[in-house]
Amino acid sequence: MELGLRGVEVALADCPPLLLLSVRFLVAGAITLAGARMLHVKWHLAWRDGLVLAAIGIANNALYLGFSYSGMRTVSAGLTALIVSTNPVLTSLLPPAFS
């Protein structure tokens, strides 16, 4: 994981974090849609489902990864990897506190 974040840290030297993140996911989305088109995948999503998926994607990419990328401007890639790696643990420990 650190190797991937190290590459992001190098890219952040020349590119704003949210622009880098946006381009990364636009390319990934285009590749995914092209692959689905080539495989003739048919999608049957209601508008509400599409809006929910868009909200989840924005929350995950813009908030979680956006803050991670922005934070890498001031913290090392190693510390960022440590913080990001604790996310699944915190996600599993916090719900009982709020229920």
Side-chain angles (χ1 to χ4, degrees), residues 29-81:
I31 291 171
T32 302
L33 289 175
R37 180 106 173 149
M38 286 175 37
L39 295 173
H40 305 290
V41 175
K42 297 194 188 245
W43 297 26
H44 301 287
L45 286 178
W47 277 102
R48 184 174 188 271
D49 295 335
L51 290 175
V52 168
L53 288 174
I56 291 170
I58 289 170
N60 184 38
N61 296 325
L63 298 177
Y64 171 63
L65 291 173
F67 285 143
S68 298
Y69 277 35
S70 297
M72 283 182 63
R73 290 211 176 259
T74 58
V75 209
S76 70
L79 182 58
T80 302

